Protein backbone atom coordinates (compact mmCIF):
# COMPACT_ATOMS: atom_id res chain seq x y z
CA UNK A 1 0.00 0.00 0.00
CA UNK A 2 1.34 3.41 -1.00
CA UNK A 3 0.15 6.66 0.53
CA UNK A 4 0.25 10.02 -1.24
CA UNK A 5 0.02 12.97 1.13
CA UNK A 6 -2.35 15.67 -0.11
CA UNK A 7 -2.86 17.94 2.89
CA UNK A 8 -1.49 18.14 6.44
CA UNK A 9 -2.17 21.27 8.49
CA UNK A 10 -3.61 22.32 11.83
CA UNK A 11 -6.92 24.15 11.50
CA UNK A 12 -9.03 25.99 14.01
CA UNK A 13 -12.31 24.12 14.55
CA UNK A 14 -15.32 24.93 16.70
CA UNK A 15 -16.19 22.07 18.96
CA UNK A 16 -19.88 21.56 19.60
CA UNK A 17 -21.63 19.03 21.79
CA UNK A 18 -24.94 18.78 23.61
CA UNK A 19 -25.19 20.98 26.70
CA UNK A 20 -21.70 22.46 26.45
CA UNK A 21 -20.45 25.80 25.26
CA UNK A 22 -18.83 25.98 21.86
CA UNK A 23 -15.04 26.06 22.18
CA UNK A 24 -12.13 26.38 19.80
CA UNK A 25 -9.64 23.59 19.19
CA UNK A 26 -6.67 23.28 16.83
CA UNK A 27 -7.14 20.08 14.89
CA UNK A 28 -4.58 18.79 12.41
CA UNK A 29 -6.28 17.53 9.26
CA UNK A 30 -4.29 14.98 7.29
CA UNK A 31 -5.53 13.82 3.89
CA UNK A 32 -3.89 10.95 2.05
CA UNK A 33 -4.71 8.97 -1.05
CA UNK A 34 -4.03 5.29 -0.41
CA UNK A 35 -3.23 3.08 -3.39
CA UNK A 36 -4.15 -0.51 -2.65
CA UNK A 37 -3.32 -3.18 -5.19
CA UNK A 38 -4.44 -6.31 -3.39
CA UNK A 39 -6.82 -8.05 -4.22
CA UNK A 40 -7.78 -5.47 -6.86
CA UNK A 41 -6.28 -2.10 -7.60
CA UNK A 42 -8.21 0.69 -5.94
CA UNK A 43 -7.72 4.07 -4.32
CA UNK A 44 -9.10 5.09 -0.93
CA UNK A 45 -9.16 8.56 0.54
CA UNK A 46 -7.97 8.53 4.17
CA UNK A 47 -8.65 11.53 6.38
CA UNK A 48 -7.21 11.76 9.88
CA UNK A 49 -7.94 14.31 12.60
CA UNK A 50 -5.32 14.73 15.34
CA UNK A 51 -4.37 17.36 17.91
CA UNK A 52 -0.70 18.31 18.31
CA UNK A 53 -1.33 19.09 21.99
CA UNK A 54 -3.16 15.85 22.83
CA UNK A 55 -1.44 12.61 21.73
CA UNK A 56 -4.59 10.53 22.33
CA UNK A 57 -6.83 12.59 20.05
CA UNK A 58 -7.34 10.55 16.88
CA UNK A 59 -10.30 10.29 14.50
CA UNK A 60 -10.25 8.42 11.23
CA UNK A 61 -12.28 8.29 8.05
CA UNK A 62 -11.54 6.15 5.02
CA UNK A 63 -13.64 6.76 1.92
CA UNK A 64 -13.56 4.18 -0.84
CA UNK A 65 -14.96 4.89 -4.29
CA UNK A 66 -18.11 2.97 -3.29
CA UNK A 67 -18.49 4.90 -0.01
CA UNK A 68 -18.14 8.06 -2.04
CA UNK A 69 -21.14 7.18 -4.21
CA UNK A 70 -23.44 7.11 -1.18
CA UNK A 71 -21.82 10.27 0.28
CA UNK A 72 -22.35 11.92 -3.10
CA UNK A 73 -26.04 11.06 -3.28
CA UNK A 74 -26.69 11.80 0.42
CA UNK A 75 -25.09 15.23 0.31
CA UNK A 76 -25.94 16.15 -3.27
CA UNK A 77 -22.32 16.49 -4.35
CA UNK A 78 -21.66 17.22 -8.01
CA UNK A 79 -18.02 16.13 -8.30
CA UNK A 80 -16.77 12.61 -8.87
CA UNK A 81 -14.41 10.64 -6.61
CA UNK A 82 -11.23 11.71 -8.41
CA UNK A 83 -12.09 15.41 -8.14
CA UNK A 84 -13.37 15.21 -4.56
CA UNK A 85 -10.04 15.44 -2.61
CA UNK A 86 -9.05 18.73 -4.26
CA UNK A 87 -12.54 20.17 -3.76
CA UNK A 88 -12.36 19.16 -0.07
CA UNK A 89 -8.92 20.80 0.27
CA UNK A 90 -10.22 23.97 -1.45
CA UNK A 91 -12.97 24.18 1.16
CA UNK A 92 -10.42 23.70 3.99
CA UNK A 93 -8.26 26.46 2.49
CA UNK A 94 -11.25 28.78 2.54
CA UNK A 95 -11.70 27.97 6.26
CA UNK A 96 -7.99 28.73 6.90
CA UNK A 97 -8.33 32.00 5.01
CA UNK A 98 -11.24 33.02 7.24
CA UNK A 99 -10.22 31.50 10.58
CA UNK A 100 -8.86 34.69 12.17
CA UNK A 101 -11.85 36.80 11.23
CA UNK A 102 -14.43 37.73 13.85
CA UNK A 103 -17.28 36.60 11.64
CA UNK A 104 -15.79 34.02 9.30
CA UNK A 105 -17.81 33.20 6.21
CA UNK A 106 -16.43 29.65 6.18
CA UNK A 107 -15.73 27.65 9.30
CA UNK A 108 -15.06 24.12 10.48
CA UNK A 109 -17.33 22.55 13.06
CA UNK A 110 -16.58 19.36 14.95
CA UNK A 111 -19.84 18.03 16.30
CA UNK A 112 -19.93 15.35 18.97
CA UNK A 113 -23.02 13.54 20.22
CA UNK A 114 -21.65 13.61 23.79
CA UNK A 115 -20.65 16.61 25.87
CA UNK A 116 -16.98 15.64 25.86
CA UNK A 117 -15.15 13.95 22.98
CA UNK A 118 -15.32 10.59 24.67
CA UNK A 119 -14.71 7.85 22.13
CA UNK A 120 -17.83 8.57 20.13
CA UNK A 121 -18.08 9.32 16.42
CA UNK A 122 -17.82 12.99 15.45
CA UNK A 123 -18.90 14.93 12.38
CA UNK A 124 -16.60 17.43 10.70
CA UNK A 125 -18.74 20.04 8.98
CA UNK A 126 -17.64 22.77 6.61
CA UNK A 127 -20.19 25.51 7.11
CA UNK A 128 -20.69 28.71 5.18
CA UNK A 129 -22.55 31.45 7.01
CA UNK A 130 -24.31 33.98 4.80
CA UNK A 131 -26.75 36.71 5.92
CA UNK A 132 -29.64 34.25 5.62
CA UNK A 133 -28.49 30.93 6.94
CA UNK A 134 -25.81 28.35 7.71
CA UNK A 135 -25.01 26.25 4.66
CA UNK A 136 -23.26 22.93 5.25
CA UNK A 137 -21.04 22.35 2.24
CA UNK A 138 -19.74 19.02 3.49
CA UNK A 139 -20.29 16.80 6.53
CA UNK A 140 -17.93 13.89 7.14
CA UNK A 141 -18.34 11.34 9.90
CA UNK A 142 -15.19 10.20 11.73
CA UNK A 143 -14.67 7.26 14.05
CA UNK A 144 -12.48 7.60 17.16
CA UNK A 145 -9.21 5.68 16.96
CA UNK A 146 -8.97 2.65 19.24
CA UNK A 147 -5.90 1.96 21.39
CA UNK A 148 -4.21 -0.06 18.64
CA UNK A 149 -4.70 2.72 16.08
CA UNK A 150 -3.50 5.43 18.48
CA UNK A 151 -0.47 3.28 19.35
CA UNK A 152 0.39 2.92 15.64
CA UNK A 153 -0.09 6.63 15.01
CA UNK A 154 2.12 7.61 17.99
CA UNK A 155 4.86 5.19 16.92
CA UNK A 156 4.90 6.88 13.52
CA UNK A 157 5.01 10.37 15.08
CA UNK A 158 7.92 9.21 17.22
CA UNK A 159 9.79 7.90 14.17
CA UNK A 160 9.36 11.20 12.29
CA UNK A 161 10.32 13.26 15.34
CA UNK A 162 13.48 11.16 15.90
CA UNK A 163 14.48 11.80 12.27
CA UNK A 164 13.82 15.55 12.68
CA UNK A 165 15.89 15.58 15.85
CA UNK A 166 18.79 13.77 14.16
CA UNK A 167 18.76 16.25 11.25
CA UNK A 168 18.70 19.12 13.73
CA UNK A 169 21.62 17.67 15.71
CA UNK A 170 23.66 17.33 12.50
CA UNK A 171 22.75 20.87 11.47
CA UNK A 172 23.83 22.23 14.87
CA UNK A 173 27.12 20.36 14.65
CA UNK A 174 27.76 21.60 11.10
CA UNK A 175 26.80 25.19 11.98
CA UNK A 176 29.16 25.21 14.94
CA UNK A 177 32.00 23.76 12.85
CA UNK A 178 31.44 26.11 9.89
CA UNK A 179 31.21 29.27 11.91
CA UNK A 180 34.08 28.34 14.23
CA UNK A 181 36.25 27.72 11.15
CA UNK A 182 35.22 31.03 9.57
CA UNK A 183 35.87 32.79 12.86
CA UNK A 184 39.35 31.33 13.32
CA UNK A 185 40.12 32.10 9.64
CA UNK A 186 39.04 35.72 10.09
CA UNK A 187 40.98 36.11 13.31
CA UNK A 188 44.23 35.01 11.70
CA UNK B 1 1.74 9.43 42.59
CA UNK B 2 5.38 10.54 42.38
CA UNK B 3 8.04 8.61 40.49
CA UNK B 4 11.73 8.67 41.34
CA UNK B 5 13.95 7.49 38.49
CA UNK B 6 16.70 5.14 39.64
CA UNK B 7 18.07 3.65 36.43
CA UNK B 8 17.44 4.12 32.71
CA UNK B 9 19.88 2.56 30.24
CA UNK B 10 19.91 0.25 27.24
CA UNK B 11 21.53 -3.10 27.98
CA UNK B 12 22.49 -5.96 25.73
CA UNK B 13 20.32 -8.99 26.52
CA UNK B 14 20.33 -12.51 25.11
CA UNK B 15 16.91 -13.48 23.86
CA UNK B 16 15.99 -17.11 24.32
CA UNK B 17 12.85 -18.97 23.30
CA UNK B 18 11.91 -22.58 22.53
CA UNK B 19 13.23 -23.83 19.19
CA UNK B 20 14.96 -20.61 18.20
CA UNK B 21 18.58 -19.57 18.20
CA UNK B 22 19.72 -17.22 20.92
CA UNK B 23 20.00 -13.68 19.62
CA UNK B 24 21.14 -10.34 21.03
CA UNK B 25 18.79 -7.44 21.60
CA UNK B 26 19.33 -3.98 23.10
CA UNK B 27 16.71 -3.56 25.80
CA UNK B 28 16.30 -0.33 27.76
CA UNK B 29 15.77 -1.07 31.44
CA UNK B 30 13.97 1.66 33.37
CA UNK B 31 13.65 1.40 37.14
CA UNK B 32 11.47 3.79 39.11
CA UNK B 33 10.32 3.98 42.70
CA UNK B 34 6.65 4.96 42.79
CA UNK B 35 5.35 6.73 45.88
CA UNK B 36 1.64 6.12 46.26
CA UNK B 37 -0.21 7.87 49.08
CA UNK B 38 -3.79 6.77 48.43
CA UNK B 39 -5.44 4.91 50.19
CA UNK B 40 -2.32 4.26 52.30
CA UNK B 41 1.23 5.44 51.84
CA UNK B 42 3.37 2.83 50.13
CA UNK B 43 6.24 2.49 47.69
CA UNK B 44 6.23 0.24 44.62
CA UNK B 45 9.19 -0.62 42.45
CA UNK B 46 8.31 -0.30 38.75
CA UNK B 47 10.57 -1.87 36.14
CA UNK B 48 9.99 -1.32 32.42
CA UNK B 49 11.69 -3.00 29.48
CA UNK B 50 11.58 -1.18 26.14
CA UNK B 51 13.50 -1.21 22.88
CA UNK B 52 14.59 2.10 21.34
CA UNK B 53 14.35 0.52 17.88
CA UNK B 54 10.87 -0.98 18.30
CA UNK B 55 8.17 1.35 19.64
CA UNK B 56 5.78 -1.52 20.37
CA UNK B 57 8.19 -3.44 22.62
CA UNK B 58 7.01 -2.91 26.19
CA UNK B 59 7.15 -5.17 29.25
CA UNK B 60 6.18 -4.12 32.75
CA UNK B 61 6.75 -5.32 36.26
CA UNK B 62 5.52 -3.62 39.42
CA UNK B 63 6.77 -5.01 42.73
CA UNK B 64 5.01 -3.96 45.91
CA UNK B 65 6.49 -4.60 49.32
CA UNK B 66 4.14 -7.62 49.65
CA UNK B 67 5.13 -9.00 46.23
CA UNK B 68 8.74 -8.62 47.31
CA UNK B 69 8.24 -10.88 50.33
CA UNK B 70 7.20 -13.79 48.09
CA UNK B 71 9.97 -13.01 45.58
CA UNK B 72 12.42 -12.95 48.49
CA UNK B 73 11.36 -16.35 49.82
CA UNK B 74 11.05 -17.94 46.34
CA UNK B 75 14.52 -16.84 45.23
CA UNK B 76 16.25 -16.93 48.59
CA UNK B 77 17.14 -13.24 48.60
CA UNK B 78 18.84 -11.84 51.68
CA UNK B 79 18.12 -8.14 51.24
CA UNK B 80 14.97 -6.32 52.28
CA UNK B 81 12.67 -4.31 50.02
CA UNK B 82 14.38 -0.96 50.67
CA UNK B 83 17.83 -2.34 49.73
CA UNK B 84 16.60 -4.39 46.77
CA UNK B 85 16.55 -1.65 44.05
CA UNK B 86 20.23 -0.76 44.56
CA UNK B 87 21.23 -4.44 44.64
CA UNK B 88 19.31 -4.99 41.39
CA UNK B 89 21.06 -1.97 39.81
CA UNK B 90 24.46 -3.25 41.01
CA UNK B 91 23.80 -6.53 39.22
CA UNK B 92 22.78 -4.67 36.03
CA UNK B 93 25.98 -2.60 36.25
CA UNK B 94 27.98 -5.83 36.42
CA UNK B 95 26.22 -7.02 33.24
CA UNK B 96 27.04 -3.68 31.51
CA UNK B 97 30.65 -4.02 32.60
CA UNK B 98 30.86 -7.47 31.03
CA UNK B 99 28.60 -7.07 27.99
CA UNK B 100 31.34 -6.56 25.40
CA UNK B 101 33.41 -9.52 26.56
CA UNK B 102 33.43 -12.75 24.56
CA UNK B 103 32.71 -14.78 27.63
CA UNK B 104 30.94 -12.47 30.06
CA UNK B 105 30.80 -13.57 33.65
CA UNK B 106 27.50 -11.78 34.16
CA UNK B 107 24.84 -11.55 31.51
CA UNK B 108 21.17 -10.71 31.05
CA UNK B 109 18.84 -13.27 29.57
CA UNK B 110 15.33 -12.56 28.34
CA UNK B 111 13.46 -15.83 28.23
CA UNK B 112 10.17 -16.18 26.39
CA UNK B 113 7.87 -19.21 26.45
CA UNK B 114 7.12 -18.75 22.74
CA UNK B 115 9.55 -18.67 19.81
CA UNK B 116 8.87 -14.98 19.12
CA UNK B 117 8.14 -12.32 21.72
CA UNK B 118 4.44 -12.45 20.97
CA UNK B 119 2.51 -10.88 23.81
CA UNK B 120 3.48 -13.52 26.33
CA UNK B 121 5.16 -12.99 29.69
CA UNK B 122 8.96 -13.02 29.69
CA UNK B 123 11.57 -13.60 32.38
CA UNK B 124 14.56 -11.33 32.78
CA UNK B 125 17.36 -13.34 34.34
CA UNK B 126 20.68 -12.08 35.65
CA UNK B 127 23.01 -15.03 35.21
CA UNK B 128 26.55 -15.51 36.40
CA UNK B 129 28.58 -18.10 34.53
CA UNK B 130 31.44 -19.63 36.48
CA UNK B 131 33.60 -22.60 35.41
CA UNK B 132 31.12 -25.00 37.00
CA UNK B 133 27.64 -23.75 36.27
CA UNK B 134 25.17 -20.99 35.46
CA UNK B 135 23.99 -19.23 38.59
CA UNK B 136 20.78 -17.24 38.34
CA UNK B 137 21.14 -14.32 40.74
CA UNK B 138 17.72 -12.92 39.99
CA UNK B 139 14.76 -13.84 37.80
CA UNK B 140 11.97 -11.31 37.29
CA UNK B 141 8.77 -12.00 35.39
CA UNK B 142 7.43 -9.23 33.14
CA UNK B 143 4.03 -8.87 31.50
CA UNK B 144 3.72 -7.54 27.95
CA UNK B 145 2.15 -4.07 27.73
CA UNK B 146 -1.32 -3.95 26.22
CA UNK B 147 -2.33 -1.40 23.58
CA UNK B 148 -3.44 1.13 26.19
CA UNK B 149 -0.14 0.89 28.08
CA UNK B 150 1.94 1.10 24.87
CA UNK B 151 -0.13 4.10 23.78
CA UNK B 152 0.54 5.86 27.11
CA UNK B 153 4.24 5.04 26.98
CA UNK B 154 4.58 6.33 23.39
CA UNK B 155 2.73 9.55 24.22
CA UNK B 156 5.23 10.16 27.00
CA UNK B 157 8.22 9.44 24.69
CA UNK B 158 6.73 11.88 22.18
CA UNK B 159 6.39 14.57 24.85
CA UNK B 160 10.04 14.17 25.94
CA UNK B 161 11.28 14.10 22.35
CA UNK B 162 9.32 17.26 21.49
CA UNK B 163 10.95 19.01 24.45
CA UNK B 164 14.40 17.80 23.36
CA UNK B 165 13.73 19.04 19.83
CA UNK B 166 12.63 22.46 21.07
CA UNK B 167 15.77 22.82 23.21
CA UNK B 168 17.88 21.79 20.21
CA UNK B 169 16.14 24.31 17.93
CA UNK B 170 16.79 27.07 20.45
CA UNK B 171 20.42 26.02 20.80
CA UNK B 172 20.88 26.04 17.02
CA UNK B 173 19.34 29.51 16.78
CA UNK B 174 21.51 30.81 19.63
CA UNK B 175 24.68 29.23 18.19
CA UNK B 176 24.03 30.79 14.78
CA UNK B 177 23.36 34.20 16.31
CA UNK B 178 26.37 34.10 18.67
CA UNK B 179 28.85 32.99 16.08
CA UNK B 180 27.50 35.30 13.38
CA UNK B 181 27.83 38.20 15.82
CA UNK B 182 31.39 37.20 16.76
CA UNK B 183 32.24 36.82 13.08
CA UNK B 184 30.92 40.25 12.09
CA UNK B 185 32.69 41.77 15.09
CA UNK B 186 35.99 40.16 14.09
CA UNK B 187 35.62 41.21 10.47
CA UNK B 188 35.18 44.90 11.37
Amino acid sequence: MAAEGLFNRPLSVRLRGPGCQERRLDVRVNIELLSISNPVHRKDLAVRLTNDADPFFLYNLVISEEDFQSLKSQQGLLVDFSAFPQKFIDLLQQCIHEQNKDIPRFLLQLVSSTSDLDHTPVSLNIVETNPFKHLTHLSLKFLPGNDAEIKKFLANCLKCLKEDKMILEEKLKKTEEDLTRQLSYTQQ
Side-chain angles (χ1 to χ4, degrees), chain A residues 57 70 138 183:
Chain A
F57 185 106
S70 57
L138 191 62
L183 196 61

Side-chain angles (χ1 to χ4, degrees), chain A residues 21-111:
Chain A
Q21 254 199 320
E22 189 178 90
R23 62 186 178 96
R24 295 258 198 139
L25 192 69
D26 279 337
V27 170
R28 181 175 290 276
V29 180
N30 179 285
I31 307 176
E32 286 179 340
L33 204 57
L34 309 178
S35 293
I36 297 137
S37 51
N38 194 2
V40 289
H41 183 76
R42 68 173 212 270
K43 291 202 172 189
D44 284 356
L45 187 70
V47 188
R48 191 176 65 209
L49 308 180
T50 58
N51 177 348
D52 291 352
D54 175 2
F56 302 140
F57 185 106
L58 175 67
Y59 290 86
N60 289 307
L61 167 67
V62 178
I63 308 173
S64 68
E65 191 150 4
E66 276 176 31
D67 299 334
F68 182 75
Q69 295 316 317
S70 57
L71 185 78
K72 185 177 170 174
S73 70
Q74 275 164 27
Q75 303 198 14
L77 307 179
L78 298 173
V79 293
D80 62 11
F81 183 61
S82 62
F84 175 71
Q86 191 52 54
K87 183 67 194 150
F88 179 29
I89 292 167
D90 291 346
L91 285 168
L92 294 176
Q93 299 283 15
Q94 276 190 281
C95 295
I96 292 172
H97 188 67
E98 304 262 332
Q99 71 187 7
N100 292 321
K101 294 188 181 167
D102 283 340
I103 305 165
R105 200 163 66 89
F106 276 89
L107 59 82
L108 275 173
Q109 264 178 0
L110 196 65
V111 184

Side-chain angles (χ1 to χ4, degrees), chain A residues 7 21 29 36 40 45 81 85 94 96 109 125 129 140 160-161 167 170 176 180 183 185:
Chain A
F7 184 89
Q21 254 199 320
V29 180
I36 297 137
V40 289
L45 187 70
F81 183 61
Q94 276 190 281
I96 292 172
Q109 264 178 0
N125 301 333
T129 304
L140 298 174
C160 297
L161 202 56
I167 291 167
E170 277 168 22
E176 281 174 341
T180 309
L183 196 61
Y185 181 77

Side-chain angles (χ1 to χ4, degrees), chain A residues 69-183:
Chain A
Q69 295 316 317
S70 57
L71 185 78
K72 185 177 170 174
S73 70
Q74 275 164 27
Q75 303 198 14
L77 307 179
L78 298 173
V79 293
D80 62 11
F81 183 61
S82 62
F84 175 71
Q86 191 52 54
K87 183 67 194 150
F88 179 29
I89 292 167
D90 291 346
L91 285 168
L92 294 176
Q93 299 283 15
Q94 276 190 281
C95 295
I96 292 172
H97 188 67
E98 304 262 332
Q99 71 187 7
N100 292 321
K101 294 188 181 167
D102 283 340
I103 305 165
R105 200 163 66 89
F106 276 89
L107 59 82
L108 275 173
Q109 264 178 0
L110 196 65
V111 184
S112 166
S113 57
T114 54
S115 56
D116 49 352
L117 286 170
D118 196 19
H119 301 291
T120 49
V122 293
S123 293
L124 183 75
N125 301 333
I126 301 178
V127 181
E128 182 187 354
T129 304
N130 68 23
F132 302 106
K133 69 168 293 190
H134 299 297
L135 283 167
T136 301
H137 285 248
L138 191 62
S139 177
L140 298 174
K141 198 169 179 179
F142 288 75
L143 294 177
N146 59 28
D147 283 347
E149 286 163 340
I150 295 174
K151 183 184 90 168
K152 210 174 135 191
F153 163 69
L154 290 176
N156 196 47
C157 290
L158 208 58
K159 187 171 158 269
C160 297
L161 202 56
K162 276 187 184 172
E163 286 167 4
D164 286 356
K165 196 188 155 198
M166 220 169 62
I167 291 167
L168 213 51
E169 277 168 342
E170 277 168 22
K171 201 179 161 189
L172 176 61
K173 195 166 158 268
K174 205 179 164 299
T175 303
E176 281 174 341
E177 284 170 3
D178 280 4
L179 291 174
T180 309
R181 194 166 44 236
Q182 281 183 50
L183 196 61

